[in-house]
Amino acid sequence: MIEMHDIWKTYADGTSALNGVSVKIDRNEFVYLVGPSGAGKSTFMKLIYREEIPTKGEIFVNGFNIGKLKQRKIPYIRRNIGVVFQDFRLLPKLTVFENVAFAMEAIEAPRKVIRKRTLEVLELVGLKHKYKNFPSQLSGGEQQRVSIARAIVNNPAVIVADEPTGNLDPDTSVEIMHLLEEINFRGTTIVMATHNKEIVNSMRKRVIAIENGNIVRDVQRGEYGYEI
Ligand code: ADP
Ligand code: ADP
């Protein structure tokens, strides 16, 4: 599903974020990405959703060599990858329904299909009844549910989540994790960066640790492995 072959990433100012990373993540895996701040986790994920391109090396997502993708093919790969952020990134002037539908309008789905599918994913995340609300009228956990609905609405093969529980209290974080687990059970590969030790240690999934731009640990049913 995701393959990196000797990936190097150096930013324009000379900062090296990844130094020769190779990894293979299979369809349907759930992977936690851990490591200190500045280790390269966000960069690793930005390469997957093609927000950044590697300086050197090849990365394949869903069979596409995405570092080499032509500009006009980018929307196509984005539709196959849903992204969830710590700060939700909902559009404040759009309703819950519109925030989710927007992601389908971007791929020019027919209006009836958009309506049906948007309500379907809002139901899955438990927020169908709030479809007319604005983000400011929702709790943090609810906003994150909307952002997860937006990420899955186009049925992506992969979800990339950058500290999705970083702004949430412990109970809400656990709820969000159960939602992501359910989405994973339904067949979506998930790569999630987190500093949440309790969550990583209780879920026991594959854990990849990055330090100074290198993978230093990669364990099935792993643990968080850092004191915080
Ligand atoms: P993490 O997500 O683990 O905190 P990042 O991938 O955000 O790590 O950052 C890895 C390194 O790259 C850090 O040294 C960071 O300061 C640097 N970095 C990240 N983004 C940029 C950028 N756009 N320009 C320059 N340096 C960056
Ligand atoms: P730009 O090319 O101007 O950065 P993008 O459309 O690439 O605009 O990204 C706009 C914002 O959406 C950025 O914050 C980016 O991180 C985020 N983003 C990019 N791809 C996705 C995606 N597949 N799902 C959700 N958010 C995304």
Side-chain angles (χ1 to χ4, degrees):
M1 178 56 56
I2 299 168
E3 273 191 61
M4 294 190 187
H5 298 286
D6 194 25
I7 288 286
W8 295 70
K9 177 65 187 178
T10 305
Y11 285 105
D13 67 356
T15 308
S16 59
L18 294 177
N19 308 312
V21 167
S22 297
V23 72
K24 189 165 176 238
I25 296 170
D26 287 330
R27 180 176 297 276
N28 234 352
E29 277 198 272
F30 195 126
V31 176
Y32 286 116
L33 214 54
V34 303
S37 288
K41 302 182 297 296
S42 295
T43 302
F44 183 100
M45 291 194 293
K46 283 177 177 170
L47 291 169
I48 294 171
Y49 63 91
R50 225 260 184 206
E51 175 78 11
E52 297 288 349
I53 53 170
T55 310
K56 180 172 170 283
E58 291 190 314
I59 168 165
F60 295 87
V61 177
N62 214 3
F64 290 89
N65 185 343
I66 62 163
K68 297 233 157 60
L69 218 57
K70 295 267 190 315
Q71 202 65 30
R72 66 188 157 79
K73 290 261 178 70
I74 293 174
Y76 178 80
I77 191 74
R78 289 261 168 94
R79 156 184 358 162
N80 264 297
I81 305 168
V83 187
V84 177
F85 300 98
Q86 177 172 4
D87 56 2
F88 322 134
R89 301 200 192 175
L90 301 175
L91 296 166
K93 290 184 175 156
L94 299 187
T95 64
V96 164
F97 180 91
E98 290 163 348
N99 263 283
V100 177
F102 190 68
M104 287 191 85
E105 284 158 10
I107 66 160
E108 292 172 9
R111 240 164 54 116
K112 269 192 180 164
V113 177
I114 293 179
R115 189 178 160 75
K116 182 166 176 284
R117 174 68 182 155
T118 297
L119 291 174
E120 188 179 291
V121 291
L122 283 174
E123 176 144 51
L124 176 69
V125 303
L127 277 181
K128 194 176 174 187
H129 61 296
K130 298 216 170 170
Y131 76 102
K132 280 185 176 164
N133 286 70
F134 288 90
S136 61
Q137 299 171 310
L138 304 178
S139 69
E142 288 172 335
Q143 290 184 58
Q144 195 58 297
R145 286 171 184 278
V146 176
S147 100
I148 290 170
R150 177 184 61 187
I152 62 174
V153 74
N154 291 326
N155 258 318
V158 179
I159 294 221
V160 170
D162 199 347
E163 296 200 42
T165 63
N167 283 343
L168 305 175
D169 63 61
D171 288 348
T172 309
S173 297
V174 169
E175 284 171 29
I176 291 294
M177 288 319 303
H178 286 143
L179 180 56
L180 289 173
E181 202 171 33
E182 158 93 18
I183 290 165
N184 176 244
F185 279 137
R186 289 171 179 235
T188 306
T189 306
I190 299 190
V191 180
M192 169 176 158
T194 185
H195 288 288
N196 194 319
K197 181 178 175 177
E198 286 70 34
I199 282 176
V200 175
N201 289 349
S202 67
M203 307 288 260
R204 303 309 297 260
K205 310 281 191 192
R206 181 174 174 187
V207 175
I208 296 176
I210 300 186
E211 291 178 20
N212 294 317
N214 290 300
I215 293 180
V216 294
R217 174 159 58 97
D218 183 349
V219 186
Q220 299 292 339
R221 299 182 55 76
E223 290 183 41
Y224 184 71
Y226 296 98
E227 291 308 319
I228 35 164

Coordinates of all heavy atoms in Angstrom, one line a residue, residues 62 78-82 104 107 117 120-121 149-159 183 186-188:
N62 N -0.5 3.2 -3.1 CA -1.5 2.5 -3.9 C -1.0 2.3 -5.3 O -1.8 2.4 -6.3 CB -2.7 3.4 -3.9 CG -4.0 2.6 -3.9 OD1 -4.0 1.4 -3.9 ND2 -5.1 3.3 -4.0
R78 N -4.8 12.4 -4.2 CA -5.4 13.1 -2.9 C -6.7 12.4 -2.6 O -7.0 12.3 -1.4 CB -5.5 14.6 -3.1 CG -4.2 15.3 -3.2 CD -3.9 16.0 -1.9 NE -2.5 16.5 -1.8 CZ -2.2 17.7 -2.1 NH1 -3.1 18.6 -2.5 NH2 -0.9 18.1 -2.1
R79 N -7.4 12.0 -3.6 CA -8.7 11.4 -3.3 C -8.6 10.1 -2.7 O -9.5 9.6 -2.0 CB -9.5 11.4 -4.7 CG -10.5 10.4 -4.9 CD -11.1 10.4 -6.3 NE -10.5 11.3 -7.2 CZ -10.7 11.2 -8.6 NH1 -11.3 10.2 -9.1 NH2 -10.2 12.1 -9.4
N80 N -7.4 9.5 -2.9 CA -7.2 8.1 -2.3 C -6.5 8.2 -1.0 O -6.1 7.2 -0.4 CB -6.3 7.3 -3.3 CG -7.2 6.4 -4.2 OD1 -7.8 5.5 -3.6 ND2 -7.2 6.7 -5.4
I81 N -6.3 9.4 -0.5 CA -5.6 9.6 0.8 C -6.4 10.6 1.6 O -6.6 11.7 1.2 CB -4.2 10.1 0.7 CG1 -3.4 9.1 -0.2 CG2 -3.5 10.2 2.0 CD1 -2.1 9.6 -0.7
G82 N -6.9 10.2 2.8 CA -7.6 11.2 3.6 C -6.7 11.7 4.7 O -5.8 10.9 5.2
M104 N -16.2 16.0 -1.6 CA -16.8 15.3 -2.8 C -17.0 16.2 -3.9 O -16.9 15.7 -5.1 CB -18.1 14.6 -2.4 CG -17.9 13.4 -1.5 SD -19.5 12.5 -1.3 CE -19.4 11.4 -2.7
I107 N -14.1 16.4 -6.2 CA -13.9 15.4 -7.2 C -15.1 15.3 -8.2 O -15.2 14.4 -9.0 CB -13.6 14.0 -6.6 CG1 -14.8 13.5 -5.9 CG2 -12.4 14.1 -5.7 CD1 -14.8 12.0 -5.7
R117 N -23.9 10.1 0.3 CA -22.7 9.6 0.9 C -22.3 10.5 2.1 O -21.8 10.0 3.1 CB -21.6 9.6 -0.2 CG -20.2 9.3 0.3 CD -20.0 7.9 0.8 NE -18.7 7.6 1.3 CZ -18.4 6.7 2.1 NH1 -19.3 5.9 2.6 NH2 -17.1 6.6 2.5
E120 N -24.3 9.5 5.0 CA -23.9 8.2 5.4 C -22.6 8.2 6.3 O -22.6 7.6 7.4 CB -23.6 7.4 4.2 CG -23.3 5.9 4.3 CD -23.0 5.3 2.9 OE1 -24.0 5.2 2.1 OE2 -21.9 5.0 2.6
V121 N -21.6 9.0 5.9 CA -20.4 9.1 6.7 C -20.6 9.9 8.0 O -20.1 9.6 9.1 CB -19.1 9.6 6.0 CG1 -18.7 8.6 5.0 CG2 -19.3 11.0 5.4
A149 N -14.9 12.4 9.1 CA -15.9 12.1 8.0 C -15.4 12.7 6.7 O -15.5 12.0 5.7 CB -17.2 12.8 8.4
R150 N -14.9 13.9 6.7 CA -14.3 14.5 5.5 C -13.2 13.6 4.9 O -13.1 13.5 3.7 CB -13.8 15.9 5.8 CG -13.2 16.6 4.6 CD -12.6 18.0 5.0 NE -11.6 17.8 6.1 CZ -11.0 18.8 6.7 NH1 -11.3 20.1 6.4 NH2 -10.0 18.6 7.6
A151 N -12.4 13.1 5.8 CA -11.2 12.3 5.3 C -11.7 11.0 4.6 O -11.0 10.5 3.7 CB -10.3 12.0 6.5
I152 N -12.8 10.4 5.1 CA -13.2 9.1 4.6 C -14.3 9.2 3.5 O -14.6 8.2 2.9 CB -13.7 8.1 5.7 CG1 -14.9 8.7 6.4 CG2 -12.6 7.8 6.7 CD1 -15.6 7.7 7.4
V153 N -14.8 10.4 3.2 CA -16.0 10.5 2.4 C -15.7 9.9 1.0 O -16.6 9.3 0.4 CB -16.6 11.9 2.4 CG1 -15.8 12.9 1.6 CG2 -18.0 11.9 1.9
N154 N -14.5 10.1 0.5 CA -14.2 9.6 -0.9 C -13.6 8.2 -0.9 O -13.0 7.8 -1.9 CB -13.2 10.6 -1.6 CG -13.9 11.9 -1.9 OD1 -15.1 12.0 -2.2 ND2 -13.1 13.0 -1.8
N155 N -13.9 7.5 0.2 CA -13.4 6.1 0.3 C -11.9 5.9 0.0 O -11.5 5.1 -0.8 CB -14.2 5.3 -0.7 CG -15.2 4.5 0.0 OD1 -15.0 3.9 1.1 ND2 -16.4 4.4 -0.6
P156 N -11.1 6.6 0.7 CA -9.6 6.6 0.4 C -9.1 5.2 0.9 O -9.6 4.6 1.8 CB -9.0 7.7 1.3 CG -9.9 7.7 2.5 CD -11.3 7.5 1.9
A157 N -8.0 4.8 0.2 CA -7.3 3.6 0.6 C -6.5 3.8 1.9 O -6.3 2.9 2.6 CB -6.3 3.2 -0.5
V158 N -6.1 5.0 2.1 CA -5.2 5.3 3.2 C -5.7 6.6 4.0 O -6.1 7.5 3.4 CB -3.7 5.7 2.7 CG1 -2.8 6.0 3.9 CG2 -3.2 4.5 1.9
I159 N -5.6 6.5 5.3 CA -5.8 7.7 6.1 C -4.5 8.0 6.9 O -3.9 7.2 7.5 CB -6.9 7.5 7.2 CG1 -8.2 7.4 6.4 CG2 -7.0 8.7 8.1 CD1 -9.4 8.0 7.0
I183 N -12.8 2.3 11.3 CA -12.5 2.7 9.9 C -11.5 1.7 9.4 O -11.5 1.3 8.3 CB -12.1 4.2 9.8 CG1 -13.3 5.0 10.1 CG2 -11.5 4.5 8.4 CD1 -13.0 6.5 10.3
R186 N -12.9 -1.6 8.6 CA -13.6 -1.6 7.4 C -12.7 -1.5 6.1 O -13.2 -1.4 5.0 CB -14.6 -0.4 7.3 CG -15.7 -0.5 8.3 CD -16.5 0.8 8.4 NE -17.6 0.7 9.3 CZ -18.9 1.0 8.9 NH1 -19.2 1.4 7.7 NH2 -19.9 0.8 9.8
G187 N -11.4 -1.6 6.3 CA -10.5 -1.8 5.2 C -9.6 -0.6 4.8 O -9.1 -0.6 3.7
T188 N -9.5 0.4 5.7 CA -8.6 1.5 5.3 C -7.3 1.4 6.1 O -7.3 1.2 7.3 CB -9.3 2.8 5.7 OG1 -10.6 2.8 5.1 CG2 -8.6 4.0 5.2

